[in-house]
Amino acid sequence: MLSVFILAPFAGSLIATFFPSDQRGATAWFAGAIALVCFLLSAGLYPFVATGNVLRLELAWVPELGLSFTLRMDGFAWLFSALITAIGVLVVLYARYYMAEEDPVPRFFALFLAFMGSMLGIVLSGNLILLAVFWEMTSIVSFLLIGYWHHNAHARDGARIALTITGMGGLAMLVGLVIIGRIVGSYDLDAVLASGDAIRNHPLYGTVLILILLGALTKSAQFPFHFWLPHAMAAPTPVSAYLHSATMVKAGVFLLARLWPVMAGTEAWFWIVGLAGLATLVLGAYFAIFQQDLKGLLAYSTISHLGLITVLLSLGSPLAAVAAVFHIVNHATFKASLFMAAGIIDHESGTRDMRRLSGLFHYMPITATLAMVASAAMAGVPLLNGFLSKEMFFAEAIETHLVNALDTATPYVSTIASMFAVTYSLRFIHSAFFGPPPTDLPKKPHEPPRWMRAPVDFLVLACLVVGIIPAQTIGPFLHTAVVSILRDDTPQYSLAVWHGFNVPLIMSFVALSGGVGLYFMMRSYLATGIEGPPVFRLLQGKRIFERVLVTLSWKWARSLEQGLGTRHLQPQMRLLVFIALAAGALPLVIGGFHLPPLVIRGIDPAFALLWAIGIGCAVGSAYQAKFHRLASLVLLGGAGLVTCITFVWLSAPDLAVTQLLVEIVTTVLILLGLRWLPKRIEEPRAAEDITIKTRLRRLRDFLLATAAGGAMMLIAYTMMTRPLPDTIADYFLARAYREGGGTNVVNVILVDFRGFDTLGEIAVLCIVALTVFALLLRFRPQADSLEAPEQQRLQNAFDDDHPERTAGDSVAEYLFVPSVIMRWMFPVTGMLAAYLFLRGHDLPGGGFAAGIALSIGFILQYMSGGTRWVEERLRIHPLRWMSIGLLVATATGVGSWLFGYPFLTSRAEYATLPVIGKVPLASAILFDLGVFSLVLGATVLMLIALAHQSVRAPRAFARAARTEKEAAR
Amino acid sequence: MRTWFPYPLLSTGLFLMWLLLNQSVAPGSILLGIVVSTGLAWVALKLQPRRSHLGRWWRLPGFGLAVVADIARSNLAVALIILRARRRPSRAGFMTVDLDLEDENALALLACIVTATPGTACLEFDRRSKVLLLHVLDIENEELWRRTVKHYEAELKEIFQ
Amino acid sequence: MMGLAIVWSVLLAQIMIALAMAFALYRIARGPRAQDRILGLDTLYINGMLMLLTYGIRTANTLYFESALIVAVIGFASTVAFAKFLMRGEVIE
Amino acid sequence: MSTAGSSPVTDWLDHLIILPILVPLAVAAMLIPINERERMLKGAIGFASTLVVFVVAVILMRFAAAGPDSLPGTGVYQLGNWPAPFGIVLVLDRLSALMLCLASGLALAAQVYSMARWHTAGHHFHSLFQLLVAGLNGAFLTGDLFNLFVFFEMMLAASYGLLLHGSGPVRVKAGLHYIAVNLAASALFLIGVSLIYGATGTLNMADLATKIAGLAPDSRRLVESGAAVLGVAFLVKAGMWPLSFWLPTAYAAATPPVAAVFAVLTKVGIYVIIRLHLLLFGAAAGTSSGFGQDWLIVGGMLTIAFGGIGVLASQAMGRLAGYSVLVSSGTLLAALGLGHQAMLAGALFYLVSSTLTIAAFFLLIELVERGRDAGADVLAVTMEAYGDFDEDEKEEEVGAAIPGTMAILGLCFCLSAVLLSGLPPLSGFIAKFALLRGLFAMPGSDLATAMSAADWTYVALLILSGLSAMIAMNRIGIRTFWASIEGTIPRVVVIEITPVVVLLAACIFLSLEAGPAMRYMQATADDLFQPIVHSERVLSAPRAGGR
Amino acid sequence: MSHLTDLPPWAAIAVCGLMLLGAAITLVGSLGLLRLPSFYERLHAPTMATSGGTIVICLASMLCFAVLQSRWIVHELLIIFFVTVTTPVTLMLLGQAALYRDRFEDRKDVPRKPRPAPDEGAL
Amino acid sequence: MELILSAGIGALTASGVYLLLRPRTYQVIIGLSLISYAVNLFIFGMGRLRVNAPPVLEPGGIGDLARYTDPVPQALVLTAIVIGFAMTALFLVVLLASRGFTGTDHVDGREQPSD
Ligand code: NA
Ligand code: NA
């Protein structure tokens, strides 16, 4: 049953979005029907609730987190849901007439229904987290509702402020609720409500209180978070009417009331809630006086009235709680009707500005009368509902709850606030309906359509009826609600209009007469038409908020982002090196690691000399990398060679072979790339030209590099001098031949034991080749490297200058003898590749080495003959080779499935062939063949793609020249 | 035969290389060697290297030995030059030799031999005028060098007929 | 005695080759021109190959032969690339 | 436990575990030689492959959900039929199955999206994409430290390629930084792995877990040092401050489908940290237990802060999304560092939710911005300016604008905003709630003293980061959808918007089915806190046949 | 596994002698790189290593393994052959490149194109 | 042996790291290459240093760590070499593309006021 309250609005919302946008009536009827159904349902549930029963619905959502979809209707929730749905029906009816033809109504009603659903969700939640869910949903949906007319900048700002403030509060509240859940051990509302003492006595009570209050006070626009509410006025008036009366802002006080039994009654509660409430009560009322916008006035009045409710709740006395609940209802009725009235004025006259409005009584007497009654209720005039709750408030205000200054001040402050309320109520009525006939209204005012006024009629009637015979009308409902909050603490109270001459009555009288007097005293000031109250006008909440938001979320954030981050590479690298260094060193330093002793003995002088050369190469390469790229590359090659020799020296022939081959290809690649990096002009290296800053930076980098190098040296030395632990290597050494079928253990590891690594590794090569290829297809060299290199231009010029020579003779001559040899070397490299490939399983070599070796054969041909020459003769399909390679390697692995073994299980068989004898047929060889094919393809592809740029560049150069010529013309 | 063995010399060379690499004359090894070297010769065909005919291949070993002897001599001579480099003024210089060798492979081999021999280095060969530019460490023996080169050329002409 | 002599002479040979490599490095580092550096690298490679051969002899192990062979057969490729770069400004035209 | 030696050969179902790696790998290989003009064919094949991977991942997750023993081959796949710790093994458990599902789901969405136009921006998109998927899946599945390196490199290499896909100065500049930093990080990865091998003699993660406690103190220090270096490499990938400055730029520069998949790339770093941290330095690791946690907390929180600030400071949606990635990473890292077992389940839920959201958002951005200023079609500019060399054919594949485009885009944006800010009722909220709950649900009755300053800071950051996302999304959303008076309606094709909708729908589904999802995450977290059980499963898995 | 010390004395002496000789040749050649004054002269230096040094050391290697493993292992011949064939390629290319550079920089001590042309004489 | 090799690794690392921190793309690629050597040697060293014990078994033989060096790091280095090679190629092309698009070889794609 309860689920209808949630399901119907949300489903309706969803359906409403699909209404055509010109179907204003139909959409409104639909939305109204939904609201009505909900209202009728709550009406129907009353008898059940009235007997003190609690209606529950529990659906599992995330039981692991204690979050269940629990709906729970007690009297208080019932009162709220009745209010929400009832006013919802009226607002829909009103909106049907209010919304203009061109407004996309389906969106409006969809959002409206969603909002109603969220609000119902809040009041019906039986689980704290579910409450938070609906809580934030009202923030989100209200954001969309306030920003409904998003072409209007005010609407956008208003929506944003509302969401930011209430959303923030909601997030804080969530934390508070989670902590409550932790204290109680459950998020279930019943459980929570039963654990008041545990919560109040918990050391974290203060924290929880502040967090929860952040949510509640922001939502109900309490000082100092009040300023979002007036800006929410930019919403369509039906929305304002709804948000300000029964929903949104009421959610805050609803929560305060809901948690009142478990949170209230402490000093902290009294002070925080009371201070916020009193400040809001007075300031809201005071500000309301000085508004020029009808809706603005009402908005501040709402703030003030919510302050009143908050003060009531802060007092911690059950009677005050009753008053609070009562005022919630009363405020909803008169405020909704007032907003609607203001909307009617706006709708029919075209403005809400009190400076332009005047004497409307003449044009819309019924509306004016209704508005007057509602205003009177707002002002707390006797025989209207507002009076009753205010009297109760006064009565509570003079009671002493706690002995302190705040408590003492409460009666005076409330009287002053009530006085202000009278003033602004009077102002609302007087400036709009009385005075001289209006002069510059955009429209000629008249009474609204009959049904547009009907909701106002109804609500004003309610104000009157409740005001006159409260006990017979609202009484039982109120009692039901109050009992559900206060339970056994429910006090005796009477809802009579007349309680005799007592202090509250005097206070009311003072407020009424004072308010009227104040209004007439201030008329001249108000007539100046200045928006906003004196002095405080300068302190606009919105502007402060905007300033703060811009400063925090924009200026500071941007400077912080720039300060804490960087878009340069060098600092990032520096940080990375530094952090890595620290990360590696800290465990050793903190752990008190013992460094091994330094052993100088047994140093091979040849090896030492070799590494002296290697170190020289490395340092030289670093030194030359800026201005002598070629020299740096040469030195890098030297370091590579020393590395290769080291591998041989230290029993790793496979590594040496591979490193050597890779070395060669890398060198050629980088040289191919150097073509596109014009020579760096040597900068003047005079000492004065290098700034101190640069020097310091270099010194810092040098120190960091030295530290990194030193650390690597230390850790390498440490590791290498430690005894080898039990390693998995023994397993490989023992099984490489017997089970892997090869004597070269490294190769067996690569193609069998850890063949999967190799598969991944060739995939990496494949990816890189494809990337290089794709990127180079889009390569656009810098203009200064488009031209042929200087050498070629000179040589071509030379050839051109000599009649007996043709262009290209120079290079042909240059390469004449070498190319003969290089051509013959092609089959030789092929032979070498075949040899490396076939012996790989038993001796150093393998598919990878073979592939690289053969690709070097191709490079030689390209170097000697040029791209065109080679490609006219050899059909090279590196992409296909790569594809085949990867497929063969994968398929070999999959092949073992046929024999019922996992991927890559190798099979080694010996086939006996005539003449030849036993031939090893290991699947690993097939796998290696795939490796070979892929490596060959990938390497050749990268080299060719890079080499092709030289063929493309002249074309591009010609085109660039052409464009330039055209531009010149 | 040509279709199967487009470059018999190359195939033979490759086959020999195969045997040397594998250190094996087992039937399987030989068969594989034949297959690989033949296949590679086919690939080489695509690049169309100029064919040469080894007319008198039997003169090759003798020629090789002579070259090795020259190399040994040159090594000694160059070593002396290097060791005395600081004490004696440089006598290095460029010289040219006119050649009339037609076969491009023979020419390449000649250039190789000359360059491989310490003390002489081919720098440039003008195909139109058939002039070989050399750099020699010891220009005082220019005539000797020229004679040596011409001698090699003559030998190679004999072999590549 | 004999063994010691062998060890020492092998070591001496290796030191000599390493020294030769150092000379090559000197040329690489000093230049003065690019061709000198490349020549130095070529020499370094050849010397390195000889070092590998002597290491093979020293350990009496043929497993290191292939590394030397690779330098001999295709080690010249990078030098060719350097030389071509010097001459033509690009390696492959 | 498993019935050792009972099956002489493997069951066909056993090979299911490796399919998420092999299928994309083989398909990528097949796609390479296909002519680039046949892009739709390539796309279709790629789609089929990704779909297969996704389906397999879902099946595997269903198996995993029932517990490791019900997995094919008890979830351990011995490559080459070599047992752990000697050979490489793939290990499927709840966590890896979850990550597989997440990654392949995202990949599927991105794949579909790319086929509208982005795959024409350069060559070999689909091959690279498949290889990325293979790399990702491999990283999730492998149980071997060095094999993890290989798959990391595979994934990274493909990500380099895909980031550069379409070329252009912005991508290349961003790519240069991305690649440079990650190459340096890869070097660290190698150093770390080799240190660990040098100290323990094994590369298998499960084996390591059993060995750590028994190591001599000095060896253990060395392992810690190696793990720390390794951790730095992972943290670079995970995007921890201050190692992550490259990330927003790179992610913003990538083409939308690529950026969407990148959303899961950082999560690989997170995944590995979760995996290794709990495996190597869990309760069983003796004095090494909990190694590095403090740094994770500090780094993670700083990352949240920095990410949140970046989110606020972002003017462009692309960077905002990039910074959201950082927030997400930071949240997870700090959650792991805080080390509350109850939080881990929430963290995993958060991981899934935030990844899906960010991916959807990355896909959405371009669609939204496409409409904002006509003519700023990024692709068109790229094609025009740099594609002139070889790219003559450019088929106009963008169809007519579908009706209600703006509404759908707006709704999607709203959902993304809600999800990113962690607002109810969607999964972003549930995730944050789960994290909070986990944080507060620590053992010990005295909540007030049990909560450390770090815990409170984390709470604050969790809330503030949500707030910053809310403010920033709000600002950008208002500017994009509300303030532009005559924004042309973007021309969006169905296959572009569908993936966005599906990803967001997945989040909604996750919100609705949060119960079962949390149950799965809880079980995953429980598994992770029992490293020895995991190790035993991996190390005692039977080999196929009598080998 | 065999060791160098397993060699019979005569072979050991021969191997060591050859090796030292080869190393010495190589060293002297590389010394040329250090001492010779011009690039073209230095161009000759490495040929000592590629010819003399390589041949002698390969001989040592062949002898060593032939004796140790009692069979003729002559694959060092391949090294000799390929070094002889490939080193000239690099040297010629390098020398010629240097020549071109020097010519374009109008160095006096470098021969012009050997073919008479209107603006330059032979040599 | 260990001392010399670790000194070499240290020097390679230091040079590489220094270059990694430099502003020119070419410096960075050379730096990465040097680091890659260092890292490869480092991984290799984790199998401890052994002279003349290559992990190549005699036919039919069963090896053990007493006679042969640890083959595992060697296999790892092989993989690392290949991947390093691929990454160098990739980085090279990216730096070329960056130079082409931005007109500068600065790592940030734009000249910075100093350095
Ligand atoms: Na010579
Ligand atoms: Na790498």
Side-chain angles (χ1 to χ4, degrees), chain A residues 651 663 701 722 743 782, chain F residues 22 37 48 50 57 99:
Chain A
S651 320
E663 199 59 46
D701 290 349
R722 288 170 66 81
T743 52
Q782 169 70 3
Chain F
R22 298 294 91 214
Y37 290 143
R48 312 303 188 261
R50 294 277 292 274
L57 310 175
R99 170 81 174 53

Side-chain angles (χ1 to χ4, degrees), chain A residues 221-227 230 275-291 296-297 299-308 311 413-414 416-418 420-421 424 532-537 539:
Chain A
Q222 296 297 288
F223 183 82
F225 309 110
H226 61 281
F227 53 88
L275 261 182
L278 270 183
T280 315
L281 170 66
V282 176
L283 289 175
Y286 177 67
F287 289 177
I289 299 173
F290 300 95
Q291 299 305 308
L297 184 148
Y300 277 105
S301 129
T302 303
I303 293 171
S304 172
H305 279 275
L306 285 160
L308 189 153
V311 173
V413 176
S414 10
I416 292 170
S418 291
F420 291 156
Y424 64 69
V535 187
F536 287 99
R537 170 172 66 237
L539 253 171

Side-chain angles (χ1 to χ4, degrees), chain A residues 326-350:
Chain A
F326 190 28
H327 197 69
I328 287 174
V329 180
N330 293 337
H331 176 254
T333 43
F334 65 68
K335 194 48 68 64
S337 60
L338 278 172
F339 264 109
M340 289 180 189
I344 289 172
I345 293 170
D346 187 13
H347 199 252
E348 303 306 332
S349 70

Side-chain angles (χ1 to χ4, degrees), chain A residues 145 172 302 320 407 456 605 660 679 758 835:
Chain A
L145 276 171
T302 303
D407 197 68
V456 190
L660 260 175
K679 202 171 170 184
T758 309
Y835 168 68

